[in-house]
Amino acid sequence: MRLETATWVEVERRLSAGNAVALLPVGAQEQHGPHLALATDTIMATGLAERLADQLDALLLPTLPYGETWTTAGWKGTISISFNTLVALTTDIGAALAAHKVAALIIVNGHFGNSAPLEQAARALITQHNLPTMILNYPGIEQAAAAVCESTPAAPGFYHADEVETSVVLALRPDAVQMDQAQPEYPQFPPTFGATPTRLDTFNRSGVFGDPRPATAAKGEQLLTLLTVSALSVIRAFLAEHIR
Ligand SMILES: [Zn+2]
């Protein structure tokens, strides 16, 4: 059920069983190189969440199209919301769901920088609102990328405007990709990367990390299928813990 287009009557009926699960995709408005739309993470999180909602008969909430993107704020078009704003937004949404007696919340995160604020919001929802909450940060993406993609990631587990993301967006929204602008970049990560907050534009020019040129829509479909399977396996374990 898409909460955006459902009526309250339909939602009330769905909630009456007492086992309704809500899915909240969270994206970002963030640079993705010269060839991918700024909404890439929003498109990907939404696409995965739609597949999961269909498999789980879950309530799919409208996607949050902004995220915490401090690391890429140096590129034009990136619009970052603050850590605390994202915590507050997601906590408020979860609190409303808890008040409606939704049984559990699954956040489908499309952007790495959102992970820490979403974790903080999930802790508040669990302890203050008694709402079982889990965050999916593309579980299984490393295995999926290794199985489907030809190019090497710019760093282990680091997928940004590369073959992975470009393929998935080609599958979901080909109008958001300009393949004639796709160029590789393998930047030298500074030795202090990960130890101190670092803006990515201090060591990367194009915004691409890796090589998007081998991307295809068919690979994107395969990646989405693998990501859906991995996510469902974690979700089923989570629901088994929390829902009768
Ligand atoms: Zn991305």
Side-chain angles (χ1 to χ4, degrees):
M1 177 179 285
R2 284 12 181 195
L3 213 62
E4 212 164 24
T5 47
T7 68
W8 75 264
V9 179
E10 293 168 316
V11 175
E12 184 177 70
R13 197 179 304 133
R14 179 68 188 83
L15 289 173
S16 64
N19 63 354
V21 174
L23 280 164
L24 172 65
V26 182
Q29 172 75 11
E30 184 192 37
Q31 80 78 17
H32 275 77
H35 70 291
L36 275 181
L38 291 154
T40 288
D41 294 346
T42 302
I43 293 167
M44 289 178 60
T46 305
L48 179 59
E50 284 173 347
R51 285 164 194 238
L52 295 173
D54 292 342
Q55 294 283 322
L56 297 162
D57 187 25
L59 300 175
L60 178 62
L61 275 77
T63 303
L64 283 183
Y66 295 97
E68 202 283 309
T69 55
W70 178 86
T71 59
T72 54
W75 279 279
K76 299 289 181 261
T78 296
I79 308 285
S80 185
I81 60 172
S82 72
F83 188 105
N84 289 335
T85 300
L86 185 54
V87 173
L89 256 175
T90 43
T91 306
D92 284 357
I93 292 168
L97 295 169
H100 291 317
K101 303 282 186 266
V102 165
L105 171 63
I106 298 164
I107 298 174
V108 181
N109 179 24
H111 169 67
F112 176 78
N114 294 340
S115 308
L118 291 176
E119 170 79 17
Q120 183 147 319
R123 290 179 186 187
L125 291 170
I126 291 164
T127 54
Q128 293 162 32
H129 298 276
N130 202 24
L131 179 67
T133 303
M134 82 179 302
I135 304 155
L136 296 172
N137 294 304
Y138 294 131
I141 191 169
E142 286 196 52
Q143 295 87 329
V148 173
C149 291
E150 297 163 60
S151 61
T152 313
F158 197 103
Y159 309 102
H160 186 86
D162 63 339
E163 185 181 355
V164 172
E165 289 201 317
T166 306
S167 294
V168 173
V169 180
L170 278 171
L172 292 169
R173 282 283 300 273
D175 60 311
V177 189
Q178 301 175 38
M179 279 311 283
D180 60 333
Q181 300 296 314
Q183 285 299 326
E185 182 165 350
Y186 283 89
Q188 185 73 45
F189 283 71
T192 53
F193 188 78
T196 181
T198 306
R199 294 214 187 217
L200 301 180
D201 62 318
T202 57
F203 66 98
N204 179 302
R205 191 191 53 79
S206 67
V208 172
F209 289 76
D211 190 353
R213 292 172 302 175
T216 66
K219 288 176 184 169
E221 273 300 332
Q222 290 175 44
L223 287 162
L224 278 166
T225 301
L226 293 171
L227 291 173
T228 302
V229 170
S230 305
L232 281 173
S233 136
V234 188
I235 291 170
R236 297 214 195 278
F238 166 72
L239 295 181
E241 284 173 19
H242 295 288
I243 296 182
R244 298 156 314 278

